[in-house]
Amino acid sequence: MTSTSSTSTPAWEIFCLVVDNFGDIGVCWRLARDLAARTGAGVRLWVDDWAVLLRICPAAGGIDPVAGGVIAGVELRQWAEPFPAVEPAAVVIEAFACEIPETHLQAMARRQPAPVWINLEYLSAEDWVAGCHGMASPHPRLPLTKHFFFPGLGGGTGGLLREPGLLARRDAFLGDRRGRGEWLARRGVRLGTDETCVSLFAYEQPFLPALLQAWMQGPRRMHLFVPEGRVLADVARAFGRGGLGVGDAVRNGALELHVLPFTDQDGYDELLWACDLNFVRGEDSFVRAQWAGRPFAWHIYPQQDEAHFDKLEAFIARYTAGLPVPEKTALSAFWRAWNGRGDPAAAWPAFAAVLPALGRHAAEWSVSHAAQPDLATRLVEFCSHSRASAG
């Protein structure tokens, strides 16, 4: 639901500088909606790249970016220069170390009481995260203190984003015999016996054509769903096409490709639920794949000097803990190859052989982590404690 711009000062505001196409704004938009829904308090979301926001929130197309507007309880505003003079919220969140405008910092310093200032960090399974979560960093010039908030997978971290009712919606979709079938039928797919559905959301992937060739020549019929995005050019190369567009359906051997339009976040969840295997990237889709309870492969955001492999190995170690050796070995080898350390096509047969077992593991993983407090719950508790301590 869309309304006109809010005139009251919100309880929460989030600053999002779009760096990774959809990962940053994906996390921020989910968090903003979650906070608005569960707290009933106003939330303001500042986004620098309005065009990217529109891809995951088409309803924002009816909003004047300068004046702003409210959708799902969230006031959406474009972050541009000069930054407007507005009253800071009680809690100010800078996502992923973006820098809050100096004029707004000055306004935060004048506010009484001062806002709770949160730096929402990237998700990591590394051991050091729990030790840094919640750490305070006083501003060198202003009477403000920033606290680092780290999403994570265990106690002592900020948890994972999960809105109330998510797993119930997933289970209702999967439990309805018509749910998945109707989703596939709307996309021109009627599954036969022993067919596999795969979703692909990835960065550019030079290894992809060889993997898709293996699928084309494989013994099992597969349906590949690719939302329009960065990896589509690599898919086109694999099919010998000069380009691909939304609505294209191409079959080569055992593999049938379906190019989907980019969807909003709720629609993307259904894509993950409908597929037997999901290739995801970055952070937002990575977390949603875990809640989908399906086998997945993570294309981690590449960093300089291959620093991202520390994060990849940390998650692999945590995710595969307790798995039998064949499943652990196959998953680890395929994920590493998918991220550039190996040949995904060569690693695929062993990975495909253990997918049924990985499916059971993925379902158990989502249930066990759903028993832990989610990110928004821990954030609300942290900020309430911080305000009480300051008072």
Side-chain angles (χ1 to χ4, degrees):
M1 180 179 294
T2 306
S3 71
T4 57
S5 178
S6 172
T7 57
S8 59
T9 301
W12 304 82
E13 65 181 336
I14 304 171
F15 284 81
C16 177
L17 183 67
V18 176
V19 176
D20 175 25
N21 283 333
F22 304 104
D24 307 282
I25 184 56
V27 171
C28 292
W29 177 228
R30 285 194 196 277
L31 176 60
R33 288 194 299 167
D34 198 1
L35 288 171
R38 73 172 67 206
T39 67
V43 180
R44 180 193 292 144
L45 174 58
W46 298 97
V47 184
D48 68 323
D49 194 330
W50 200 258
V52 172
L53 170 66
L54 294 181
R55 299 297 301 278
I56 64 171
C57 180
I63 291 177
D64 179 345
V66 177
V70 179
I71 297 177
V74 179
E75 180 188 358
L76 296 171
R77 298 284 297 272
Q78 185 167 28
W79 178 1
E81 294 296 336
F83 192 79
V86 295
E87 179 71 13
V91 179
V92 179
I93 301 172
E94 58 179 36
F96 313 123
C98 67
E99 294 186 4
I100 294 174
E102 177 64 24
T103 55
H104 203 64
L105 280 176
Q106 296 285 348
M108 289 164 59
R110 293 191 297 269
R111 191 186 192 279
Q112 294 298 324
V116 177
W117 181 12
I118 298 292
N119 180 6
L120 179 65
E121 289 283 356
Y122 289 101
L123 168 67
S124 179
E126 294 169 284
D127 292 337
W128 58 263
V129 166
C132 294
H133 176 64
M135 288 184 64
S137 175
H139 193 279
R141 295 180 289 105
L142 301 172
L144 296 169
T145 299
K146 180 193 304 186
H147 289 87
F148 294 92
F149 198 91
F150 282 85
L153 296 163
T157 73
L160 298 177
L161 264 174
R162 184 188 75 252
E163 67 272 21
L166 172 63
L167 268 61
R169 288 195 297 112
R170 179 202 67 188
D171 293 344
F173 179 91
L174 295 175
D176 185 348
R177 295 181 60 184
R178 298 171 302 173
R180 186 189 187 211
E182 290 179 355
W183 188 96
L184 293 168
R186 289 196 298 271
R187 288 148 184 90
V189 176
R190 295 194 180 277
L191 289 182
T193 57
D194 200 31
E195 295 185 9
T196 300
C197 292
V198 180
S199 77
L200 175 63
F201 185 53
Y203 303 111
E204 292 83 358
Q205 181 54 278
F207 305 100
L208 184 61
L211 177 61
L212 297 193
Q213 287 291 328
W215 293 358
M216 293 170 186
Q217 299 164 12
R220 185 168 185 164
R221 186 173 179 186
M222 300 178 69
H223 295 270
L224 178 64
F225 297 94
V226 185
E228 56 180 334
R230 293 168 60 172
V231 78
L232 200 54
D234 295 312
V235 177
R237 284 196 298 116
F239 278 85
R241 302 281 292 259
L244 290 167
V246 172
D248 284 347
V250 186
R251 184 172 178 181
N252 188 323
L255 179 62
E256 186 169 345
L257 167 70
H258 310 268
V259 182
L260 306 180
F262 200 89
T263 183
D264 62 13
Q265 291 182 320
D266 293 340
Y268 183 69
D269 283 334
E270 291 190 348
L271 170 62
L272 296 176
W273 301 340
C275 288
D276 305 294
L277 171 64
N278 295 301
F279 288 79
V280 294
R281 73 178 209 201
E283 181 167 328
D284 184 52
S285 59
F286 169 53
V287 172
R288 301 312 276 195
Q290 293 177 60
W291 294 134
R294 301 286 207 177
F296 66 99
W298 182 26
H299 199 179
I300 190 170
Y301 184 73
Q303 295 175 288
Q304 290 184 342
D305 301 323
E306 297 193 333
H308 55 290
F309 275 103
D310 290 340
K311 293 179 66 173
L312 179 70
E313 292 296 339
F315 183 79
I316 289 176
R318 189 179 292 265
Y319 188 71
T320 61
L323 274 177
V325 171
E327 287 89 335
K328 182 174 183 176
T329 301
L331 182 146
S332 301
F334 186 78
W335 279 36
R336 291 175 185 134
W338 186 241
N339 283 279
R341 290 186 171 175
D343 178 1
W348 168 254
F351 185 63
V354 298
L355 282 177
L358 291 179
R360 294 187 291 272
H361 175 68
E364 293 167 358
W365 175 270
S366 70
V367 170
S368 65
H369 281 76
Q372 303 176 20
D374 61 89
L375 188 146
T377 295
R378 297 187 191 192
L379 183 60
V380 170
E381 292 175 351
F382 181 87
C383 292
S384 297
H385 178 73
S386 296
R387 283 194 293 264
S389 298

